[in-house]
Amino acid sequence: MNVSSANMTVVVRFPDSLSKAVTKNVIVVFLVISINYINASLVHTFSKHQIFYRNPRYILFIHLVVNDMIQVTLTIIMFIISYTIHRINVSVCCFLMLTALFATENTPLNLACMAVECYIAICMPLRHVQICTVRRTLILIGLIWITSMLSVLPDLFVTLATEPLDFFGSRVFCLRQTVFPNPVNTKRRNALYSVFLVVIWITIFFTYFKILFTAKAASKDAKKARNTVLLHGFQLLLCMSTYVGPPLLTIIKQWLPRDYTDHLFAYYITIQILPRSIIPFIYGVRDNTFRRYLKRYLCCKVTVRSSTIRNLH
């Protein structure tokens, strides 16, 4: 088993049995298809109603949904490759890995921006319309992508400068450390992730406590915003735990080598899949406006399907 993701790249030298490998792949594929189906319903609902695509809060939310759809799709592709093809062309792996890295880096940045939007809406309601415009939100999304690219692309540039050209035509396990093997990349990533970790968590704590103090003497909306930021923090905790994953997995491999693949699989589900399954709950279920339109879309879809079946009979 060889699991690849943006910040979780591990080679397992003792493969699972065929039945266990099939079971794990079926579970992962089922979870990813389910998450992407729900998220696709959210994207469709967003795109069909002006109330959403003219609201900065929902624009940031749907960007997070699409971003996570990209991330989970790419990680499942690399997960399946690790069990089937095993080795792929370095150039292809670079493309998959870089795109997955961009999406993974985007998630905590997007969550921090959503927390700030909640803070402005609750603590500065009179200025919210002027500060949080659609145009500024789209610029902010562009800055999120630029920041992620600037943090990831140096891995590629260092590799291009240090590796021979025929390296990119060779076949390797699709791992971050095999396509970007220079140790300089690891040191740079560790320093950069530490900065990201501090800045993003300061943002989450600041917005949460500001909203918390406002909620004590304010409306029901303020209390709901406080709970939303708290959920963002929980999701962010799961996402940021990918940064401490490699050393944790190294310890597990040393102490529990026999059950290592099972722990690795549990880690993949918990860190890569679970955070992406929280998003539909936060907005698709908890948000009254989105829930109403989503329910209408799903009811219409069920009605159309039932009518089609009756016509066939």
Side-chain angles (χ1 to χ4, degrees):
M1 175 183 176
N2 164 38
V3 177
S4 303
S5 67
N7 289 303
M8 184 183 81
T9 53
V10 181
V11 177
V12 180
R13 301 175 190 273
F14 306 100
D16 291 324
S17 64
L18 178 61
S19 61
K20 183 181 285 189
V22 171
T23 301
K24 288 180 178 179
N25 277 270
V26 169
I27 291 172
V28 170
V29 170
F30 173 76
L31 289 174
V32 170
I33 291 175
S34 300
I35 292 171
N36 279 349
Y37 176 79
I38 295 171
N39 286 341
S41 300
L42 297 176
V43 173
H44 182 273
T45 302
F46 170 86
S47 64
K48 293 296 182 180
H49 300 94
Q50 189 177 18
I51 190 175
F52 297 131
Y53 58 75
R54 290 188 177 275
N55 187 316
R57 179 174 302 175
Y58 292 112
I59 293 173
L60 282 172
F61 159 64
I62 216 65
H63 171 254
L64 185 63
V65 169
V66 173
N67 181 79
D68 284 351
M69 289 175 70
I70 295 171
Q71 203 273 347
V72 295
T73 300
L74 289 172
T75 56
I76 186 59
I77 288 173
M78 289 188 281
F79 187 93
I80 294 173
I81 286 174
S82 71
Y83 276 101
T84 54
I85 303 174
H86 302 299
R87 294 176 181 272
I88 61 173
N89 184 274
V90 170
S91 299
V92 175
C93 181
C94 277
F95 173 77
L96 293 173
M97 188 64 64
L98 286 172
T99 310
L101 284 165
F102 295 153
T104 302
E105 299 289 334
N106 285 344
T107 298
L109 295 173
N110 203 114
L111 289 170
C113 291
M114 293 173 75
V116 171
E117 190 279 332
C118 282
Y119 159 73
I120 295 171
I122 299 301
C123 299
M124 297 185 288
L126 298 179
R127 300 184 60 192
H128 181 262
V129 177
Q130 288 76 28
I131 296 174
C132 300
T133 64
V134 172
R135 181 174 177 273
R136 287 180 177 176
T137 303
L138 296 176
I139 292 173
L140 183 62
I141 290 172
L143 290 175
I144 289 173
W145 278 91
I146 290 172
T147 303
S148 297
M149 289 179 180
L150 290 176
S151 70
V152 171
L153 286 178
D155 282 6
L156 177 62
F157 297 150
V158 170
T159 304
L160 287 170
T162 57
E163 297 295 327
L165 191 60
D166 57 356
F167 169 74
F168 293 92
S170 61
R171 297 172 67 87
V172 296
F173 285 113
C174 193
L175 307 171
R176 188 169 186 175
Q177 66 261 33
T178 55
V179 292
F180 307 125
N182 196 296
V184 172
N185 289 327
T186 303
K187 295 178 181 178
R188 184 194 60 81
R189 282 199 303 267
N190 291 338
L192 190 62
Y193 287 159
S194 298
V195 174
F196 272 19
L197 193 68
V198 171
V199 172
I200 292 172
W201 274 110
I202 288 175
T203 303
I204 291 291
F205 279 118
F206 173 80
T207 54
Y208 176 75
F209 285 109
K210 280 287 188 179
I211 294 172
L212 177 65
F213 296 142
T214 303
K216 286 182 177 179
S219 64
K220 182 180 177 181
D221 289 339
K223 294 178 181 179
K224 188 173 181 179
R226 178 199 63 192
N227 294 334
T228 298
V229 173
L230 189 61
L231 285 171
H232 287 336
F234 174 66
Q235 185 182 7
L236 186 64
L237 179 64
L238 292 176
C239 292
M240 301 295 270
S241 59
T242 59
Y243 298 152
V244 298
L248 176 63
L249 290 170
T250 301
I251 294 172
I252 292 174
K253 187 174 182 179
Q254 291 174 351
W255 287 89
L256 301 167
R258 179 172 298 180
D259 300 323
Y260 183 61
T261 58
D262 296 332
H263 290 98
L264 196 59
F265 178 72
Y267 178 89
Y268 174 74
I269 295 295
T270 304
I271 303 304
Q272 297 296 328
I273 303 298
L274 183 59
R276 276 79 197 175
S277 66
I278 297 175
I279 294 175
F281 169 74
I282 293 177
Y283 276 93
V285 177
R286 291 184 69 251
D287 186 271
N288 292 329
T289 304
F290 214 101
R291 183 172 67 244
R292 184 171 68 252
Y293 283 93
L294 180 63
K295 189 183 297 183
R296 187 183 304 174
Y297 162 70
L298 294 175
C299 289
C300 289
K301 195 168 184 179
V302 170
T303 303
V304 170
R305 188 170 296 174
S306 300
S307 301
T308 304
I309 292 173
R310 282 199 302 269
N311 292 334
L312 290 174
H313 288 289

